[in-house]
Amino acid sequence: MDGENLEDDGYLKVETIFSKHAEAPHVMDFAVVLRRYPEDDDTPGPALAHLKGFIFQPGHLPEDNEDEGYFDVFDERSQHAAIGYRILVNDRDLVAQALKKDADLDELTAVAYLERLWVNPSLRGHGIAHRLLREAQHVLGRPGLLVMVKAHPDDFNEGANQKLAAYYQSEKQLRFRQVSKKHEGWLVAAWQDPVVSEKDESFLDLDVRETPAIDENE
């Protein structure tokens, strides 16, 4: 799709943003964002969907609780991130088993943690979450990269984690694997290549128009 086919009231564009961590040189924050741009104006509107996280590239995965540098990076982010670190350390064998068909855990040297995925409620049901995840896979993919995410929906109820995890896993290109039943909703993947999906353009053409909304959990 090219710019000539975009709607008269603007166009939707997927963008990726990287920024250096202020205190940790091996950490970079990233965001994959969907925004509407008005015609003939470079000033975008508010985010209509976003995937945010960080990538930590120390050259190894944590092996025990003595690795304070690793723990500090994850612990400062959120409770979920701290739990992710504990899974890497205390249940390394489960992570290795989950990745068995895709990678040797001992050869992975960096972690991308996907912290927050949100889509404007009026745009849900159009595959936007998968689109953002595929974009992240494209721009983050590199040899030795382990990806972790906790499927944790905002509208939480019994079985919600499993349902969202199943949705993430339904996009086979992403190769998400469930860590174990012990860790409900936790998924891992080895993104060792910058996979390019030919169906993914920078611009989205949707048959719906969004209504104003913000991510209240930001």
Side-chain angles (χ1 to χ4, degrees):
M1 172 172 130
D2 58 31
E4 296 179 355
N5 294 325
L6 298 172
E7 296 180 357
D8 292 339
D9 56 354
Y11 55 92
L12 299 175
K13 185 178 181 181
V14 176
E15 301 174 311
T16 306
I17 303 166
F18 285 91
S19 59
K20 293 182 179 180
H21 191 285
E23 299 178 356
H26 296 298
V27 178
M28 291 192 72
D29 295 307
F30 65 84
V32 183
V33 185
L34 174 66
R35 297 183 187 275
R36 179 175 293 279
Y37 279 79
E39 286 290 348
D40 302 322
D41 191 342
D42 293 333
T43 303
L48 301 177
H50 55 235
L51 169 64
K52 298 182 178 181
F54 66 91
I55 182 169
F56 184 35
Q57 305 176 92
H60 67 283
L61 298 185
E63 296 182 358
D64 55 54
N65 288 323
E66 301 302 320
D67 197 338
E68 293 184 0
Y70 233 112
F71 173 75
D72 290 344
V73 167
F74 279 70
D75 185 56
E76 75 168 2
R77 307 298 294 217
S78 67
Q79 181 181 11
H80 277 165
I83 293 172
Y85 168 82
R86 295 297 182 191
I87 291 173
L88 281 176
V89 172
N90 299 330
D91 290 309
R92 187 183 181 91
D93 57 332
L94 295 178
V95 176
Q97 181 64 30
L99 292 173
K100 186 175 181 179
K101 294 181 179 180
D102 298 325
D104 183 342
L105 186 63
D106 292 332
E107 297 178 356
L108 302 185
T109 57
V111 179
Y113 183 73
L114 311 183
E115 295 181 279
R116 178 69 180 162
L117 177 53
W118 175 83
V119 177
N120 181 310
S122 64
L123 298 182
R124 293 172 186 173
H126 294 273
I128 292 176
H130 280 163
R131 174 67 183 87
L132 299 187
L133 287 165
R134 289 196 302 269
E135 188 75 9
Q137 184 183 30
H138 181 192
V139 299
L140 297 177
R142 65 201 65 194
L145 182 65
L146 170 69
V147 179
M148 296 189 75
V149 62
K150 171 65 182 293
H152 188 79
D154 294 336
D155 298 327
F156 186 79
N157 52 53
E158 185 176 354
N161 282 354
Q162 294 177 333
K163 182 177 180 181
L164 184 58
Y167 170 70
Y168 289 168
Q169 290 178 280
S170 68
E171 173 52 272
K172 301 304 180 183
Q173 175 183 306
L174 301 172
R175 304 189 71 81
F176 279 126
R177 312 297 189 193
Q178 178 178 272
V179 173
S180 72
K181 293 182 179 180
K182 173 183 176 181
H183 299 296
E184 185 181 275
W186 280 96
L187 304 174
V188 292
W191 287 357
Q192 300 201 78
D193 298 291
V195 179
V196 179
S197 176
E198 295 183 358
K199 63 184 178 182
D200 288 338
E201 301 284 351
S202 295
F203 303 98
L204 265 64
D205 184 12
L206 300 179
D207 58 0
V208 295
R209 180 61 189 258
E210 72 277 0
T211 57
I214 60 172
D215 183 357
E216 297 180 353
N217 288 283
E218 275 289 280

